[in-house]
Amino acid sequence: MKKKMFPTLIVDNFFDNINDIIKLSKKFKYIPPNKNQNWVGLRTESIHLNHYEVFNCIILKILNYYFPERRVMYGSSFIHFHKLSPGCKKRKGKTPGFPYHRDRSPLTGIIYLSKGDMDMGTTLFNNKKQQIVVRSDLNTLLCYDGDKYHGPTTLDVKKERLTMNIFIHKINILKDA
């Protein structure tokens, strides 16, 4: 069976309660990547471990954009709060061209939780050519196929960039009974 490719999706005003989500982000401990992880900045553990209802609502809302009026199940998915701070640099010895990369999830998303600009946004590539640059607008969801080459537009951020990174695996559309 051919792999499903997800179209790129941008949703403004994703959360009705953005300030509550930002407050929630402050309750977590942020940690750097370990030597086997190829990302920069600081990230929390997945929110499903302590805030499953919030986690589940976010995943189901995203899946509803792709599969409206369908029953969908998911598994092995993660949502992390993520920070990039001024002075954040690429880790030595990692992938050439980093921070651009592909994810291991079929569907990847990012929700911007701080005000930003084009430089603080995300760049998506098609055949290693820049295709889309999305501005880091507060409370905007960017969702795309995890196999798409992508990354933060720049690591040279002038102020903190707070996002929610979403990785959705094992998506199953259920047949109606």
Side-chain angles (χ1 to χ4, degrees):
M1 185 169 122
K2 188 176 176 183
K3 178 187 177 291
K4 169 120 176 103
M5 296 292 292
F6 289 97
T8 300
L9 174 73
I10 300 171
V11 178
D12 295 322
N13 301 312
F14 183 80
F15 291 114
D16 293 331
N17 56 344
I18 186 65
N19 291 327
D20 292 342
I21 298 298
I22 293 168
K23 283 180 192 173
L24 179 63
S25 77
K26 295 175 183 179
K27 294 180 179 181
F28 284 82
K29 178 181 177 185
Y30 288 77
I31 56 173
N34 67 39
K35 66 179 181 172
N36 298 318
Q37 294 172 317
N38 196 16
W39 48 271
V40 296
L42 301 172
R43 190 179 276 180
T44 67
E45 63 187 3
S46 179
I47 69 170
H48 78 274
L49 297 171
N50 295 306
H51 298 277
Y52 183 77
E53 285 183 30
V54 174
F55 168 85
N56 190 52
C57 285
I58 292 167
I59 299 282
L60 291 177
K61 184 173 181 178
I62 290 169
L63 290 175
N64 189 56
Y65 285 113
Y66 286 97
F67 307 103
E69 301 180 24
R70 301 288 302 272
R71 291 183 21 229
V72 181
M73 289 183 62
Y74 65 91
S76 300
S77 298
F78 308 93
I79 298 177
H80 306 270
F81 289 107
H82 185 250
K83 288 182 186 179
L84 287 177
S85 299
C88 182
K89 300 291 181 205
K90 166 184 162 179
R91 292 175 48 201
K92 292 183 180 181
K94 291 296 179 181
T95 308
F98 184 78
Y100 302 115
H101 61 281
R102 290 183 170 97
D103 291 327
R104 294 185 183 121
S105 60
L107 186 57
T108 297
I110 185 169
I111 302 171
Y112 301 103
L113 301 177
S114 56
K115 292 180 183 178
D117 54 24
M118 291 303 268
D119 286 344
M120 291 179 66
T122 302
T123 300
L124 302 176
F125 293 83
N126 188 16
N127 297 321
K128 297 203 176 184
K129 293 181 183 174
Q130 190 178 51
Q131 181 183 31
I132 300 170
V133 179
V134 178
R135 180 184 172 93
S136 174
D137 283 337
L138 178 66
N139 201 17
T140 297
L141 165 73
L142 166 63
C143 220
Y144 46 91
D145 192 288
D147 199 40
K148 206 174 230 332
Y149 206 50
H150 66 277
T153 301
T154 182
L155 291 179
D156 187 23
V157 295
K158 305 297 185 233
K159 58 182 181 176
E160 185 175 270
R161 178 188 194 247
L162 178 63
T163 59
M164 181 178 271
N165 294 6
I166 303 150
F167 306 97
I168 305 175
H169 296 269
K170 297 182 182 176
I171 301 167
N172 295 312
I173 290 87
L174 302 175
K175 293 182 180 178
D176 292 326

